[in-house]
Amino acid sequence: MEAVKNNEKIIVYGDADLDGVSSVIILEETLKNLGGNVVKIYFPDREKDGYGVNETALKQLKKFSPALLISVDLGIGNLKEAKLAKKLGFKMIIVDHHEVLDKVPAAEVVVDPKQKGDKYPFKAFAAAGIVFKLAELLLENKMADNLRNNFLELTALATIADMMPKQEENEVFIKEGLKSMENSWRPAIKVFLDTEQEYTNFDQKIYKFISILNVRDSEKDLPVSFRLLTIHSPTECEELIKDLLEKREIKRGKIEEIARQIEEKIIQGSDESIIFEGNPEWDFSLISLVASLLCQKYKKPTFIYKKLKKEASGTVRAPAGVNSVELMKKCRKCLLTFGGHPPASGFRLKNENLEKFHQCLLKNFKKP
């Protein structure tokens, strides 16, 4: 609130998945309702820049310094980057829901129910759920029913998309958010639900909507889910949704092809306790879905990465009972950055350390 009162420049920095995008939209609209001076919305490119708050992004954003930088759905593992942000003249607030690695970054404020000493009883929020709670605190009586319902719709989408447990407060978010969506005034939601004819079941429509919002298609550094959910024109929404549905079908074929390539190696190779595969040719936006598919099928921790010129960026999916973040902690010397949830996480490392990382994982993984 101090930054709003003093008309300080504010940067909202969020992850490019649906939870991060929803969190950014809720926070930006909250700050604007309070009269805040939001000068930049920023989504890092995981393939080029790495996971979370990163040095490349901070140097690009330095032109806005001094400013308040608020990171949402990322940042809890960025210890070095938080120090760099301070050196570059940023005050920093971290709002995250991911696992705390060891220490909490040296930011002005850190909001994460999973940090040591946090007394809030419910810990399994999506990032959007935490941002929604913050919006309620900040706006108080300024949060009209229409705005609250609008935020609940985004929170419900994010909670479902991020596969958070449908219990306690999350159950309320989903129930109220889905109910509001039936009469949503947000053009993208209204247009999709009005035109969707493949399914008559409302829940099936919502899952299909989430699937197109998860199509990775950035333009001017803004993910397509952000662009679609913030468009005011129903006609523009309709055109973009049509394009995304076509890309969704193409994406399915590519995912199946990458999975087939990996399965051929698994069949021909040794029966390792984990799946660890990468290729410079694979589309980075697809590897999370490939990892999910293979993890579900083989019930093994699955590490899929894209090998770039000097470094590799990857995604992890783990079966029930396996904590992928704790497993990577044991191999952190091989990694540049890593973090996420026990069942779903990400990593970045130098190419020269790929096989060391692979062997370290094999050595440290014990089947539950």
Side-chain angles (χ1 to χ4, degrees), residues 55-114:
E55 184 176 345
T56 303
L58 289 173
K59 288 181 177 178
Q60 285 182 31
L61 295 169
K62 187 180 182 298
K63 61 187 175 185
F64 298 103
S65 174
L68 173 63
L69 190 154
I70 309 175
S71 72
V72 290
D73 196 27
L74 39 69
I76 198 65
N78 296 123
L79 305 178
K80 293 178 183 177
E81 292 79 7
K83 290 179 181 178
L84 176 61
K86 192 170 186 178
K87 285 182 182 178
L88 294 175
F90 296 109
K91 289 186 290 184
M92 191 173 182
I93 295 174
I94 295 171
V95 183
D96 205 347
H97 70 136
H98 292 110
E99 298 288 314
V100 178
L101 299 182
D102 285 315
K103 298 178 182 178
V104 172
E108 272 67 25
V109 178
V110 176
V111 181
D112 188 331
K114 291 176 182 171

Side-chain angles (χ1 to χ4, degrees), residues 16 18 21 25 43 188 211-219 221-231 240-241 243-244 247:
L18 185 52
V21 165
I25 294 171
F43 296 96
S211 76
I212 69 166
L213 289 170
N214 277 328
V215 172
R216 295 294 175 97
D217 182 30
S218 288
E219 189 175 291
D221 297 323
L222 295 175
V224 71
S225 51
F226 180 85
R227 301 192 325 264
L228 182 56
L229 290 169
T230 54
I231 289 174
L240 186 50
I241 287 169
D243 180 52
L244 290 174
K247 287 179 178 176

Side-chain angles (χ1 to χ4, degrees), residues 47 258 261-262 265 277-284 287 304-308 312-313 354:
E47 182 175 350
I258 295 172
Q261 292 174 25
I262 294 171
K265 290 186 177 182
E277 296 292 341
N279 190 307
E281 301 302 320
W282 291 343
D283 186 334
F284 184 78
I287 62 173
I304 307 296
Y305 59 90
K306 179 167 184 177
K307 193 173 181 181
L308 305 170
S313 285
L354 277 166

Side-chain angles (χ1 to χ4, degrees), residues 6 12 56 85 92 119 123 125 150 255 269 283 348 360:
N6 296 336
V12 181
T56 303
M92 191 173 182
K119 295 179 181 179
K123 306 294 183 184
F125 290 109
N150 183 347
I255 290 167
D283 186 334
R348 191 174 183 91
C360 180

